[in-house]
Amino acid sequence: MEPRSRRRQDHDDAELYSVAKAFHDHALPRKKMAAPLEAGPNIENMSQDLTKYRTPLVSRYASPEMAYNFSDMKKFTTWRKLWTWLAKAEKTLGLTITDEQIAEMDSNLNNIDFDRAAMEEKKRRHDVMAHVHTFGACCPKAAPIIHLGATSAYVGDNTDLIVMRDAFDIVLPKLARCIQRLSVFAEEHKSLPCLAYTHLQPAQLTTVGKRTCIWIQDLLMDLRNLERARNDLRFRGVKGTTGTQASFLALFEGNEEKVEILDKLVTQMADFKQHFLICGQTYTRKVDIDCLTTLASLGASIHKICTDIRLLANFKEMEEPFEKDQIGSSAMPYKRNPMRSERCCALSRHLMCLVQDPLMTHSVQWMERTLDDSANRRISLAEAFLTADIVLSTLQNISEGLVVYPKVIERRIKLELPFMASENIIMAMVKAGADRQECHEQIRVLSQEAGNVVKLEGGDNDLLERIKRNPYFAPIRSQLSSILDPATFTGRAPSQVTQFLAEEVKPAIKPYSGKLDEISELDL
């Protein structure tokens, strides 16, 4: 059973999310401009959110769950929970804090006057103290003990860790669903031969399902990495200004044991298994590096998968979903552009780039901390998880509707297979008594002739017909059809798919079995 504090937190988040979503679904209050733009649109009648920049990550793409997770409502209600948990723990350990004060704080966790908080921040030039005063205004009895012994990093850093943990909990089931959808596709097409490529040149044959398993294998590595990063998150805890816990030691009159227990109690209330024993004013920013590195690696995997799909769409072997009324091009009505895969590639590039932010931020955190991390982290942490959320939702949508064109694949195989089968033909002739080197020369000459037909005349590969007509190959003429059966060129690909899905994929996604049914429907 989940800890009571986490169940309570999940319930509060769900309730707040529903309120935030309802607010988001309606136009924001209109606000008159000081002066209308000359010869411009009627700004006065415009919704306020249309008159300023909105990040496309939220306005166009991200799921409501992830958008809420990085919202002001989630952030500041979490601050209030942290202040309340701290007060409860301090009371438990003997500080003079009353049940009435705790109850007052508990009943006002969601009662945030954002206008007052904005005025307070403008006045005090300090976001945490602005919200301390705003919380205190609706909790007059508890106001004297709110934030007792704490520093700004207590609410700031601990909230960031909670939000990142919850963000991982949103993306992990989505990644598992992508793996599951692609696994179904791989199983269905595990025996369908297709051209395999090295250097983007036809090499030998594989199967559609086997290639899909190469994609899945990368995603399994990402699943492992994200799970590890999520489970390695530790709470900053109750550490004071420079991490020495001096303020709390003073509160408890030098009793180190009580300070240690205080740290553990608040950590448990936040539903973390561990907290940092050592930190400066902030938790080490290497945590951010760790988290965003795993997300960047996921971006690389999805970029590779969707690039393959785009190339296969060009070959007309495979397509992503394409709706009945979807338009591929404003100028060319016949086009079916792989726009979902293109979106994944575009946003995955952004995701891969974001890891540079925490790398550079950590490297310049002088001594116990500098404040030049704050503005950067407000952007980079949120954008990384929002972007990961978007590319996973899009990849899931793609993998739920992938279309394969076997006849096109078969035709492309026929163009290349006669060349690929030359060694098999040589071996059959040797078994029939021919000289290997002489047979090699015969096929070399015929292959050059057939190649000229393809390259110079634009015709089909007629190597097989040339071999059939050549008297030299009469001993194996009846075997040629079986020798050129594409299924004989795919090796163990079908059985590899079966083994891989059973031994590696199913165990990896089993923990998410209760969250695999959700369908990804994209609005854009």
Side-chain angles (χ1 to χ4, degrees), residues 96-162:
T96 306
I97 297 172
T98 67
D99 290 336
E100 191 176 16
Q101 288 174 312
I102 298 294
E104 190 179 50
M105 294 171 75
D106 261 331
S107 62
N108 283 282
L109 294 176
N110 306 331
N111 179 26
I112 302 177
D113 185 342
F114 283 99
D115 289 336
R116 178 171 186 142
M119 288 188 293
E120 291 281 1
E121 185 169 356
K122 186 175 182 180
K123 174 183 176 181
R124 303 177 190 281
R125 308 297 295 175
H126 197 288
D127 57 346
V128 173
M129 288 309 299
H131 278 270
V132 168
H133 283 277
T134 302
F135 195 19
C138 60
C139 300
K141 295 176 182 177
I145 55 92
I146 292 174
H147 199 67
L148 183 60
T151 187
S152 299
Y154 168 69
V155 288
D157 271 29
N158 284 323
T159 293
D160 287 343
L161 291 163
I162 290 170

Side-chain angles (χ1 to χ4, degrees), residues 175 178-179 181-182 219 298 301-302 305-306 309 340-341 344 390-400 520 522:
L175 177 53
C178 290
I179 293 170
R181 303 305 194 267
L182 289 172
L219 296 179
L298 171 67
S301 299
I302 294 177
I305 293 168
C306 291
I309 293 172
R340 291 171 174 83
S341 298
C344 281
I390 295 160
V391 294
L392 283 170
S393 294
T394 309
L395 180 63
Q396 181 186 336
N397 179 266
I398 292 170
S399 56
E400 287 170 350
S520 177
L522 302 181

Side-chain angles (χ1 to χ4, degrees), residues 13 17 21 62-71 74 163 166-167 169-171 174 177 386 389 393 518:
D13 283 354
Y17 163 67
K21 186 176 187 301
S63 68
E65 296 84 1
M66 189 63 81
Y68 170 72
N69 191 54
F70 286 94
S71 69
K74 172 69 176 276
V163 167
D166 293 350
D169 288 343
I170 293 172
V171 298
K174 291 190 175 190
R177 287 198 290 271
L386 285 164
D389 174 69
S393 294
E518 185 176 327

